Amino acid sequence: MARNPAGRAAGRALPRRTAIAITAGVLLGFFVIDGSHVWGEHPPVWHAVAAVIGFAAIMGLQLVHSFPGFILRLGRYRYATWVLQGLLAYLPIIAFGAAWGGMTEFFAASAVLVLPAALGWPLFACAVAGELALFGHFGFDAGDFVYGAIEAVLIPLVVIGLSRMSDMIDRLHASREELSRLAVAGERLRFARDLHEVLGLSLSAISLKCELAYRLLADAPEKAYDEVGEVLRTSRKALADVRSVSRGYRQMSLSDEANAAVSMLSAAGIDTTVRHRCGELPAPVDTVLATALGEGLTNMLRHSKAERCVITTECGGGVAVLVLGNDGAGRGRTAKPDPGSGLAALDSRLRELGGTLTHGADGRGWFRLRAVVPLRQDAQAPRPRRRTSATGDRSRAARPGHTDMMPRAAGAITLAVLVGYFLSYSAEGWSYAPYAHGLPAVELCLLGCLALQLAESFHRRFAWGPSWKGRLRYGALGAQALLQFVPFLVFGKAWAGIPGFLAGSVLLALPAVAAWPVLVLVTVASDAAQYAVGVSTQDVIFETAYTPICAVVVFGLTRMAQLASELHRSRAEIARLAVTTERLRFARDLHDLLGFSLSAITLKCELVRRLAPTRPVQARRELTEVLGIVHEALADVRTVAGGSRRMCLSAEAEHAMAMLAGAGIHATVRLDCGELPGDVETVLATLVREGLTNMLRHSRPECCEITAERTAGAVRLSLVNDGADRSGDPSLASRLGGGSGIGNLTTRVEAVNGRLTAGPRPDGRFELRADVELLAA
């Protein structure tokens, strides 16, 4: 009832609460109008009391039929309540005559809402025919008969529209959630594929070579030494790949990657030129081109001896293009990437967005990588394949045609009701004898009212929709006001206009604070104009009740039709946001879980190489532990791709002690925190993993302490080491929130209502500490 932004803000409440309120208000208005007809018959007191009870019962039954969850117990017996509503609609006609005939319209609406469509719509037609038969029985003249026939169809359609559109919007909400789930499941499958291609072979190779080195240690320690060296190279490459894949699944910026490339290549002695001619790009395009740039630079540094590099980005013809060229040897072919290479995964991601990837020598000593991605993802993305989802079901919500029909049906219902009101007011005017003399001009004015109302109700569906605001919208509202009141001066009592359209447009166009007072003003002004030209008092009273009802119906149907369209358009954005969230989870889990395992493998393999020549027995024990870590890493690969798992703090502490002892670091572990909630324990166990990984990477400690203790309603985990003064980079705290590991931990700890701090202590040691409120978590 406010402007459009406020309507969007109230979007979640509109489908159910506001729809019930609007429907109840419209029903109440209709009952007041029909009650006035009964009251006009001057019934006895007990007849009037019975009529009020009957009205209330029919209204309650109608709400039950329109909203099955309104009264759950009655909702289970909908066929019985529909029969009861029929009895209440028809039997009182014996006592009240035609004044009660309007109640059959609600019975007709309930037939469609309660019964299957194949049975409901024929019964709807029968109910309408029965009402027309009543009109003939009670001797309605031609004008009243036509008006009554239009109302007999219009009022049930209003009730059906308000009821069904609420249900359609609820189903649209559900379909958005299902589409998001399917999008996340598809992204998880792609991530699992990329993860298997990047890490599966590496971890399998590490496992095989560790087993071979274990067997060779006793008889051929030199060969075992060489095999362990291969394991070291493989584990370091796998660790780099983990960081690369983790970075590739984050939201990335092409301009940021290009700027970072200049610094990195300059440090490597490569002359770099960047020509960035793209402005702001859609998020998926920006991310995939940034990933392409990072992968291309990685391959250039790994496989060529370039001295010059040119990075060019440009947009045009509906596509964004990235070209990375260097004067190194490169790969002298332009065929498809090798199945196991990073470019293969990149090529797959580009193709999913409708893009292409080409690379190879240009014949002039330069190697060029060219990535092209369409800018309009909604129009250019490939069609989804006909296949089952990850759970084996192909949901109806995933079928485009299923949800496409909902906005169309919502618009069709709104259009039918607006045209019905136009015909109803036209038929009302036909009942006046002088009306026929000015009929063409009057109909043109009524058509103008209808056209302006259609423009207000459906402006978002047209190309000029975004410009329908400000002066244009208020100008149209002023034109509606003129068409409503000026014809009274020309046609007199032969003109009724459509005041409900003007009042409905006021609710749609003006802020809520002003809309309702203006609606009252429009109603009073229309009544005053009709009274001034000689319309009877009874008809003026009728219009006084009918105008706000028409306004609320126009507002309710228009707003819910707009919301249905907005929800439909937002499905792709909701799915994209869900995928982005899942990618961030992938990146965190990949870095935190596998980064620790691969760092431990590297550390222990270095120890094995030192022990192999002189202490082969201890080297074999260390290799056994490496094999255990490899198997755990393979399980972590499945865990990251499939979903999060609960981690055990005590088990991680034991692994930490074993790893630190193997590295010659004295470790002290004290866990006095009791049983913890699953999500808190997982975060703290992850903190132990990542904290030790960062400690071994950035410092050279001799002692390390891991403590966890309970405080008042909270738990504190602390990792302290004495390597800050010996580190080449003692200020690990400077990377808090900036490095991927510590940044991930900060996000995880804050998610369980905790706080992460890192920095040197007064005694010169470095501390990483997490404080988590247990009750809040």
Side-chain angles (χ1 to χ4, degrees), residues 135 140-149 427 431:
F135 295 159
F140 281 29
D141 59 30
D144 289 340
F145 186 89
V146 172
Y147 178 82
S431 62

Side-chain angles (χ1 to χ4, degrees), residues 179-198:
L179 286 170
S180 299
R181 186 188 67 80
L182 293 175
V184 168
E187 186 66 20
R188 184 176 292 125
L189 290 175
R190 287 191 291 271
F191 182 84
R193 179 199 62 205
D194 294 346
L195 196 59
H196 181 268
E197 291 176 353
V198 172

Side-chain angles (χ1 to χ4, degrees), residues 501-517:
F501 280 4
L502 176 59
S505 295
V506 164
L507 291 178
L508 291 168
L510 299 182
V513 176
W516 290 103

Side-chain angles (χ1 to χ4, degrees), residues 351-623:
R351 282 188 282 106
E352 287 169 359
L353 294 178
T356 59
L357 177 70
T358 57
H359 56 92
D362 63 359
R364 293 177 292 179
W366 279 68
F367 181 86
R368 300 188 188 276
L369 181 144
R370 188 171 188 268
V372 181
V373 187
L375 291 174
R376 293 191 60 191
Q377 296 303 305
D378 55 344
Q380 300 292 338
R383 292 183 178 179
R385 300 172 184 172
R386 285 185 66 91
R387 63 179 183 182
T388 58
S389 65
T391 59
D393 289 328
R394 193 168 178 268
S395 171
R396 291 179 63 194
R399 301 176 191 174
H402 178 64
T403 50
D404 286 348
M405 289 302 297
M406 291 186 182
R408 295 177 185 175
I413 291 173
T414 304
L415 177 62
V417 170
L418 294 180
V419 173
Y421 274 123
F422 162 76
L423 294 176
S424 177
Y425 277 97
S426 296
E428 181 183 356
W430 296 341
S431 62
Y432 291 95
Y435 199 79
H437 300 294
L439 182 60
V442 169
E443 285 301 313
L444 284 176
C445 291
L446 289 176
L447 283 172
C449 293
L450 175 63
L452 289 171
Q453 184 57 57
L454 290 175
E456 174 61 45
S457 296
F458 293 97
H459 65 86
R460 298 184 188 180
R461 294 175 177 264
F462 302 101
W464 43 268
S467 63
W468 186 259
K469 56 185 179 180
R471 294 181 180 178
L472 179 60
R473 191 174 194 181
Y474 293 135
L477 190 61
Q480 274 189 286
L482 292 175
L483 275 175
Q484 174 59 34
F485 294 109
V486 171
F488 280 112
L489 302 176
V490 179
F491 304 110
K493 64 182 298 184
W495 171 259
I498 313 180
F501 280 4
L502 176 59
S505 295
V506 164
L507 291 178
L508 291 168
L510 299 182
V513 176
W516 290 103
V518 174
L519 181 146
V520 174
L521 180 62
V522 168
T523 304
V524 172
S526 179
D527 292 343
Q530 291 189 67
Y531 187 78
V533 297
V535 177
S536 67
T537 303
Q538 184 177 357
D539 288 341
V540 170
I541 293 173
F542 175 83
E543 288 296 337
T544 303
Y546 201 74
T547 296
I549 292 174
C550 178
V552 172
V553 169
V554 168
F555 169 80
L557 292 179
T558 299
R559 184 66 82 210
M560 284 194 285
Q562 291 171 352
L563 182 59
S565 298
E566 288 177 5
L567 288 173
H568 179 68
R569 287 194 298 268
S570 68
R571 290 181 309 148
E573 179 67 12
I574 293 295
R576 188 190 70 79
L577 291 175
V579 168
T580 300
T581 302
E582 191 69 4
R583 285 180 172 181
L584 293 175
R585 187 193 70 78
F586 290 155
R588 285 196 302 268
D589 291 350
L590 182 63
H591 184 279
D592 295 344
L593 292 175
L594 294 176
F596 175 85
S597 299
L598 291 170
S599 296
I601 290 170
T602 301
L603 182 65
K604 284 190 171 293
C605 285
E606 290 174 348
L607 178 61
V608 168
R609 292 192 79 188
R610 293 197 301 269
L611 294 174
T614 58
R615 302 167 67 182
V617 175
Q618 185 178 350
R620 296 183 76 179
R621 286 200 299 268
E622 295 295 337
L623 276 175

Side-chain angles (χ1 to χ4, degrees), residues 199-463:
L199 292 178
L201 295 176
S202 297
L203 290 174
S204 299
I206 290 173
S207 179
L208 291 173
K209 287 184 176 295
C210 284
E211 291 175 355
L212 178 59
Y214 185 90
R215 292 194 298 268
L216 292 174
L217 270 173
D219 302 325
E222 295 83 5
K223 292 184 178 180
Y225 184 88
D226 294 338
E227 293 296 335
V228 174
E230 288 292 328
V231 171
L232 267 174
R233 284 188 287 274
T234 304
S235 65
R236 287 169 180 159
K237 177 181 178 299
L239 186 57
D241 288 338
V242 163
R243 294 169 185 158
S244 174
V245 173
S246 175
R247 185 176 65 250
Y249 273 85
R250 296 180 183 275
Q251 192 69 36
M252 300 171 66
S253 167
L254 178 58
S255 60
D256 291 345
E257 288 293 314
N259 293 332
V262 174
S263 301
M264 180 182 68
L265 296 177
S266 297
I270 300 175
D271 180 36
T272 306
T273 302
V274 176
R275 303 188 185 103
H276 186 52
R277 300 174 182 140
C278 287
E280 185 177 354
L281 296 171
V285 177
D286 205 19
T287 298
V288 77
L289 290 181
T291 305
L293 178 58
E295 184 63 35
L297 292 174
T298 300
N299 279 279
M300 181 186 75
L301 295 173
R302 184 180 297 170
H303 301 293
S304 72
K305 300 177 180 178
E307 296 179 355
R308 292 182 59 201
C309 176
V310 177
I311 302 171
T312 304
T313 63
E314 57 185 357
C315 297
V319 297
V321 181
L322 165 71
V323 179
L324 174 63
N326 68 83
D327 61 352
R331 297 172 180 170
R333 58 190 177 92
T334 59
K336 291 184 178 181
D338 296 331
S341 69
L343 289 178
L346 177 61
D347 180 64
S348 178
R349 290 184 65 181
L350 284 165
R351 282 188 282 106
E352 287 169 359
L353 294 178
T356 59
L357 177 70
T358 57
H359 56 92
D362 63 359
R364 293 177 292 179
W366 279 68
F367 181 86
R368 300 188 188 276
L369 181 144
R370 188 171 188 268
V372 181
V373 187
L375 291 174
R376 293 191 60 191
Q377 296 303 305
D378 55 344
Q380 300 292 338
R383 292 183 178 179
R385 300 172 184 172
R386 285 185 66 91
R387 63 179 183 182
T388 58
S389 65
T391 59
D393 289 328
R394 193 168 178 268
S395 171
R396 291 179 63 194
R399 301 176 191 174
H402 178 64
T403 50
D404 286 348
M405 289 302 297
M406 291 186 182
R408 295 177 185 175
I413 291 173
T414 304
L415 177 62
V417 170
L418 294 180
V419 173
Y421 274 123
F422 162 76
L423 294 176
S424 177
Y425 277 97
S426 296
E428 181 183 356
W430 296 341
S431 62
Y432 291 95
Y435 199 79
H437 300 294
L439 182 60
V442 169
E443 285 301 313
L444 284 176
C445 291
L446 289 176
L447 283 172
C449 293
L450 175 63
L452 289 171
Q453 184 57 57
L454 290 175
E456 174 61 45
S457 296
F458 293 97
H459 65 86
R460 298 184 188 180
R461 294 175 177 264
F462 302 101

